[in-house]
């Protein structure tokens, strides 16, 4: 792989790699490190490039593996999402509405983060990044049908918890 | 606004049957304000709101992402034909060492011959000394023998003198 190819096809997806790493690690600096490590690893494995059908999925897979290794090796403590929940104020709403909205957001965030890692990643890749089933299957090294089944289960689990919030305020 | 289409879409969304385009449509719908939103849609609104907020936050972080360290391309090493005389110092050093060793060996041989000659000369000298000693010893032995002969004669002569003295004294 020439440097041009790397610059044109790999470097432009670094934001997606960073986003993916950030979601897994919950820490901006570590996500930046993992993104850089992933780029270096892609470069070091450039001989595999001609065999690849989806380079972006390959880069995402490398990023995920590096992030999961980091979590495992250092007994990584995920940042407390609840602490960061109140960061997005909106000037359009009254303080009461804003507080209510933040409360709901905290609960939704908790629901998502309580999902098993596979469910959470699939839902994020599909609903936030807009990846196709095949692309998600390539990233997570799963069968496409498994992706569909897991996405359905993940959404079902989220829906049940959202209904609990709506009905019982839980 | 007709929400039935959105409700139907949302049902398919929960079942995992929507396409990417339909999901984009749902995201767009929930990003807008709908005060009279029916209940089935209200349960999904916080989820899509969460997706939107997370993406906005991630986009803000992405802007702070530093430029990646681009690996330096390693070009294949250029082959430069070398002249056989390029490393003349190497050859000169080998030659010098060979000459030095030859000279040292020759010197060593010379030294050995000198030592050998010196040994032979010493042996010769020793032999001569020994011969001289033997000759001297022989001569001294001869002298001693002759001296002993003289002593006997002198003793006899002394007897005569004594006898002569006695005879002369008696007269």
């Amino acid at each position: 792989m020439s440097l041009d190819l790397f610059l044109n096809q790999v470097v432009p997806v670094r934001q997606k790699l960073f986003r993916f790493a950030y979601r897994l690690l919950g820490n901006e600096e570590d996500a930046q490190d993992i993104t850089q490590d992933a780029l270096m690893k892609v470069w070091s494995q450039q001989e595999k490039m001609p065999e690849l059908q989806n380079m972006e999925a390959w880069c995402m897979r490398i990023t995920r593996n590096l992030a999961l290794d980091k979590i495992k090796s250092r007994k990584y403590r995920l940042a407390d999402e609840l602490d960061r929940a109140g960061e997005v104020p909106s000037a359009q709403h009254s303080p009461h509405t804003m507080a209510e909205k933040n409360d709901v957001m905290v609960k939704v965030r908790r629901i998502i983060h309580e999902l098993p890692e596979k469910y959470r990643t699939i839902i994020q890749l599909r609903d936030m990044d807009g990846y196709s089933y095949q692309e998600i299957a390539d990233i997570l090294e799963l069968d496409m049908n498994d992706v569909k089944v897991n996405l359905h289960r993940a959404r079902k689990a989220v829906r049940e918890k959202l209904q609990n919030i709506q009905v019982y305020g839980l | 606004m007709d929400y039935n289409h959105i409700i139907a879409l949302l049902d398919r969304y929960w079942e995992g049957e929507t396409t990417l385009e339909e999901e984009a449509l749902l995201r767009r719908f929930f990003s807008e304000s709908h005060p009279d939103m029916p209940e089935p849609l209200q349960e999904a609104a916080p989820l899509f709101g969460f997706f939107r907020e997370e993406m906005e936050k991630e986009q803000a972080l992405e802007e702070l992402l530093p430029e990646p360290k681009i690996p330096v391309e390693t070009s294949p090493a250029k082959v430069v034909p070398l002249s056989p005389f390029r490393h003349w110092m190497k050859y000169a050093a080998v030659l010098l060492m060979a000459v030095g060793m030859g000279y040292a060996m020759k010197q060593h041989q010379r030294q050995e011959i000198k030592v050998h000659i010196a040994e032979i000369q010493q042996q010769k000298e020793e032999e001569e000394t020994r011969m001289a000693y033997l000759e001297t010893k022989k001569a001294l032995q001869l002298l001693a023998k002759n001296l002993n002969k003289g002593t006997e004669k002198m003793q006899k002569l002394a007897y005569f003198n004594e006898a002569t003295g006695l005879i002369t004294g008696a007269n």
Side-chain angles (χ1 to χ4, degrees), chain A residues 99-134:
Chain A
E100 205 174 55
K101 193 185 163 201
N102 279 344
D103 185 44
V104 174
M105 279 298 127
V106 169
K107 285 173 181 166
V108 175
R109 182 169 281 118
R110 191 190 296 148
I111 289 170
I112 297 293
H113 283 272
E114 280 173 0
L115 288 173
E117 192 272 319
K118 192 161 72 173
Y119 285 4
R120 188 173 66 242
T121 303
I122 289 175
I123 231 174
Q124 285 168 335
L125 289 173
R126 178 76 183 187
D127 289 330
M128 290 168 73
D129 297 329
Y131 281 109
S132 69
Y133 293 129
Q134 185 57 58

Side-chain angles (χ1 to χ4, degrees), chain A residues 3-14:
Chain A
L3 187 62
D4 286 342
L5 201 65
F6 183 79
L7 290 172
N8 294 329
Q9 292 193 26
V10 180
V11 172
V13 299
R14 71 194 178 97

Side-chain angles (χ1 to χ4, degrees), chain B residues 17-30:
Chain B
E17 291 170 356
T18 39
T19 62
L20 283 170
E21 289 75 22
E22 288 168 337
E23 286 163 17
L25 186 66
L26 283 172
R27 277 198 292 275
R28 205 161 47 245
F29 171 80
F30 283 107

Side-chain angles (χ1 to χ4, degrees), chain A residues 5-164:
Chain A
L5 201 65
F6 183 79
L7 290 172
N8 294 329
Q9 292 193 26
V10 180
V11 172
V13 299
R14 71 194 178 97
Q15 277 95 348
K16 288 184 180 178
L17 305 183
F18 166 76
R19 210 182 298 165
F20 195 31
Y22 177 73
R23 282 177 206 153
L24 288 163
L25 297 164
N27 177 294
E28 189 189 334
E29 283 178 14
D30 288 342
Q32 284 179 3
D33 290 346
I34 291 293
T35 307
Q36 180 62 38
D37 291 351
L39 291 177
M40 296 309 287
K41 197 164 182 181
V42 169
W43 177 256
S44 70
Q45 295 183 1
Q46 52 184 285
E47 71 281 354
K48 289 187 183 172
M49 296 293 290
E51 305 158 19
L52 295 170
Q53 289 184 343
N54 186 341
M55 193 158 64
E56 187 178 318
W58 184 57
C59 295
M60 291 284 277
R61 197 190 310 159
I62 287 175
T63 305
R64 180 172 183 259
N65 290 339
L66 287 172
L68 293 180
D69 284 348
K70 194 176 179 75
I71 290 168
K72 274 183 206 164
S73 65
R74 295 189 185 174
K75 293 182 179 169
Y76 202 84
R77 185 183 173 275
L78 291 171
D80 187 1
E81 292 296 319
L82 299 179
D83 289 345
R84 301 190 284 131
E87 284 174 4
V88 195
S90 169
Q92 295 169 347
H93 304 290
S94 69
H96 175 72
T97 320
M98 228 169 73
E100 205 174 55
K101 193 185 163 201
N102 279 344
D103 185 44
V104 174
M105 279 298 127
V106 169
K107 285 173 181 166
V108 175
R109 182 169 281 118
R110 191 190 296 148
I111 289 170
I112 297 293
H113 283 272
E114 280 173 0
L115 288 173
E117 192 272 319
K118 192 161 72 173
Y119 285 4
R120 188 173 66 242
T121 303
I122 289 175
I123 231 174
Q124 285 168 335
L125 289 173
R126 178 76 183 187
D127 289 330
M128 290 168 73
D129 297 329
Y131 281 109
S132 69
Y133 293 129
Q134 185 57 58
E135 285 170 324
I136 296 171
D138 289 342
I139 293 168
L140 302 180
E141 294 178 281
L142 291 173
D143 184 70
M144 202 168 84
N145 284 328
D146 287 344
V147 174
K148 285 182 185 175
V149 169
N150 283 306
L151 181 67
H152 173 58
R153 287 177 186 164
R155 282 178 179 169
K156 199 177 162 190
V158 171
R159 189 184 189 186
E160 280 170 9
K161 289 181 179 177
L162 284 172
Q163 283 170 340
N164 286 340

Side-chain angles (χ1 to χ4, degrees), chain B residues 109-170:
Chain B
Q109 279 176 349
R110 274 187 194 169
Q111 196 71 23
E112 276 188 339
I113 290 166
K114 271 185 188 174
V115 169
H116 190 62
I117 291 168
E119 277 175 359
I120 290 168
Q121 276 181 346
Q122 200 180 353
Q123 278 177 359
K124 207 172 171 181
E125 277 174 13
E126 280 174 3
E127 188 68 20
E128 279 174 0
T129 312
R130 201 166 62 82
M131 291 297 288
Y133 167 73
L134 290 171
E135 287 294 318
T136 312
K137 194 178 169 184
K138 207 172 166 181
L140 286 172
Q141 276 177 345
L142 187 66
L143 183 67
K145 195 177 173 183
N146 290 334
L147 271 174
N148 284 339
K149 277 181 185 174
T151 311
E152 282 174 12
K153 299 288 180 191
M154 287 301 284
Q155 207 168 4
K156 284 178 184 175
L157 202 59
Y159 291 151
F160 275 115
N161 282 341
E162 198 177 335
T164 311
L166 286 171
I167 295 164
T168 315

